[in-house]
Amino acid sequence: ILNVEQSPQSLHVQEGDSTNFTCSFPSSNFYALHWYRWETAKSPEALFVMTLNGDEKKKGRISATLNTKEGYSYLYIKGSQPEDSATYLCASVNTGNQFYFGTGTSLTVIP
Amino acid sequence: DTEVTQTPKHLVMGMTNKKSLKCEQHMGHRAMYWYKQKAKKPPELMFVYSYEKLSINESVPSRFSPECPNSSLLNLHLHALQPEDSALYLCASSQVDSRPGEQYFGPGTRLTVT
């Protein structure tokens, strides 16, 4: 089983602040890295899928980067809004197409 | 329709009960998954169905019995569960042939075993 770690576990930021969190994963047998956004009582929503070292993806104010050699991905949120409050989950996918999730970073944006 | 639905949302059952969790998707996905998530832990894969056939069973106890009656439905039959089986059970689906397969999740069923 892969050990996927996310930090911090939780984060409180003021509206308008920019923030970022980390997902670290073993780099052996790596195939892809997924980021999900999970609001309470809703389904996890796919944000990004990245496969190549150096990949950068962007969706609105949210962006992500991938470093497969050192085994980490960053998720950035620019100008946080209250509606960004959610748990952000990453999952590392190995060459056997098995998903291993981190425990998530819980973000609260204070108006 | 990019939605995965799960019923029921909440379930409380005794250790001698038999119950079933249901999952449905109409995206034409031929891979479907059951995950178990305990509080403050990552979701853990339980079963994977590919083209309605069980392809991965992550050493899950036999008191959990999955079933995939057709390409849109996935069930998880529960019997003689233990209190430690209380958790959030998530269903997901994805395309089989495109990698890396993006998984679409349902909202989960919150199970409490008393």
Side-chain angles (χ1 to χ4, degrees):
Chain A
I1 295 180
L2 292 181
N3 197 21
V4 178
E5 296 181 352
Q6 290 187 246
S7 62
Q9 273 194 333
S10 66
L11 193 55
H12 290 71
V13 301
Q14 290 292 135
E15 181 175 355
D17 286 351
S18 295
T19 187
N20 65 84
F21 354 111
T22 307
C23 172
S24 61
F25 52 89
S27 50
S28 60
N29 299 318
F30 173 84
Y31 186 75
L33 193 286
H34 291 241
W35 280 102
Y36 291 86
R37 179 173 178 276
W38 195 359
E39 289 184 72
T40 304
K42 294 189 178 179
S43 309
E45 172 199 351
L47 287 175
F48 304 114
V49 180
M50 295 178 288
T51 56
L52 300 176
N53 186 44
D55 260 355
E56 290 189 31
K57 294 278 177 88
K58 188 174 180 182
K59 187 185 284 189
R61 294 179 290 99
I62 305 177
S63 59
T65 61
L66 179 68
N67 183 321
T68 59
K69 292 184 179 178
E70 296 180 45
Y72 65 83
S73 174
Y74 292 137
L75 187 80
Y76 300 91
I77 302 179
K78 185 177 176 182
S80 304
Q81 299 297 308
E83 58 265 29
D84 296 329
S85 298
T87 295
Y88 291 82
L89 271 180
C90 71
S92 179
V93 187
N94 63 15
T95 48
N97 212 27
Q98 291 172 302
F99 280 63
Y100 295 97
F101 284 86
T103 52
T105 291
S106 174
L107 173 67
T108 303
V109 180
I110 304 162
Chain B
D1 181 5
T2 58
E3 192 179 16
V4 177
T5 58
Q6 288 188 244
T7 55
K9 288 187 179 178
H10 301 273
L11 178 62
V12 179
M13 61 185 290
M15 290 190 282
T16 58
N17 291 158
K18 284 186 182 181
K19 297 285 184 184
S20 296
L21 308 185
K22 295 184 186 302
C23 173
E24 189 168 3
Q25 57 87 16
H26 296 285
M27 293 178 277
H29 291 168
R30 303 302 294 274
M32 295 185 78
Y33 310 77
W34 279 115
Y35 288 88
K36 174 183 177 181
Q37 189 190 27
K38 303 277 280 183
K40 298 188 192 279
K41 298 280 187 183
E44 291 181 358
L45 185 66
M46 299 174 73
F47 302 105
V48 181
Y49 272 83
S50 180
Y51 295 106
E52 295 86 69
K53 292 196 187 311
L54 184 65
S55 61
I56 295 177
N57 175 342
E58 293 283 358
S59 303
V60 179
S62 59
R63 58 186 185 268
F64 295 91
S65 174
E67 179 198 19
C68 191
N70 60 55
S71 59
S72 299
L73 292 174
L74 183 67
N75 299 321
L76 186 63
H77 303 298
L78 314 172
H79 174 54
L81 293 194
Q82 304 296 309
E84 60 264 28
D85 296 323
S86 299
L88 180 70
Y89 289 84
L90 287 164
C91 171
S93 70
S94 71
Q95 295 179 5
V96 173
D97 300 324
S98 68
R99 294 186 66 192
E102 184 174 294
Q103 293 192 4
Y104 292 77
F105 283 86
T109 293
R110 177 75 60 188
L111 174 67
T112 303
V113 181
T114 61

